[in-house]
Amino acid sequence: MGKYKKATEPVKVRLKKNDLVEVTTGKEQGKTGKVLKVFREKNKVLIEKVNMIKRHTRPSPTTGQGGIVEKEAPVFVCKVKLICPKCATGTRIRMTQTGEGKKARVCLKCKELIDG
Ligand SMILES: [Zn+2]
């Protein structure tokens, strides 16, 4: 084992499926899309129509023919930010406790609860 500890501690992924997010860095910068899937253990999210990659597929009896399909590849959560549904801008969020003791996300710009 080297001196570097393996990153087993998951970063807090505060994004959820169906969140609208904006890519803040990299070649996909400025693109927005809906979160299709969250990979908590990898700190990545799959975003609709963002970070498309080409996959070669083999011909199969069910699809008839092979070819190249485009599909989304996961993006690191540190490269995206949530678009607040209340103020419609890319924002940072923090967690808060609601009255019922549940956790909810709060937009740091408009201070609105994003979900209850
Ligand atoms: Zn907001």
Side-chain angles (χ1 to χ4, degrees):
M1 294 296 279
K3 64 178 176 177
Y4 296 104
K5 255 171 78 178
K6 219 176 160 191
T8 48
E9 189 80 18
V11 178
K12 283 186 195 119
V13 179
R14 287 166 179 171
L15 298 172
K16 292 179 182 175
K17 196 177 167 187
N18 295 326
D19 277 347
L20 196 62
V21 295
E22 181 184 344
V23 182
T24 57
T25 182
K27 69 179 170 71
E28 301 292 287
Q29 188 172 358
K31 283 194 182 178
T32 59
K34 199 171 73 176
V35 173
L36 299 174
K37 200 172 179 187
V38 179
F39 303 93
R40 276 177 208 287
E41 68 285 357
K42 291 179 183 161
N43 300 320
K44 286 181 171 182
V45 286
L46 204 62
I47 308 163
E48 194 173 32
K49 303 286 178 207
V50 169
N51 204 24
M52 301 297 287
I53 52 163
K54 288 189 170 69
R55 279 270 168 88
H56 295 264
T57 59
R58 284 181 193 178
S60 82
T62 48
T63 57
Q65 56 182 3
I68 299 168
V69 290
E70 279 199 290
K71 61 177 284 184
E72 293 92 352
V75 178
F76 275 110
V77 290
C78 58
K79 289 186 175 181
V80 303
K81 61 183 175 183
L82 184 74
I83 295 175
C84 171
K86 303 275 164 40
C87 61
T89 49
T91 184
R92 290 193 300 133
I93 47 178
R94 67 177 172 83
M95 302 302 288
T96 190
Q97 297 266 339
T98 63
E100 296 87 49
K102 280 194 227 160
K103 279 187 182 163
R105 299 176 299 174
V106 178
C107 170
L108 285 182
K109 281 194 178 147
C110 67
K111 314 291 184 204
E112 290 282 338
L113 282 181
I114 291 167
D115 41 25

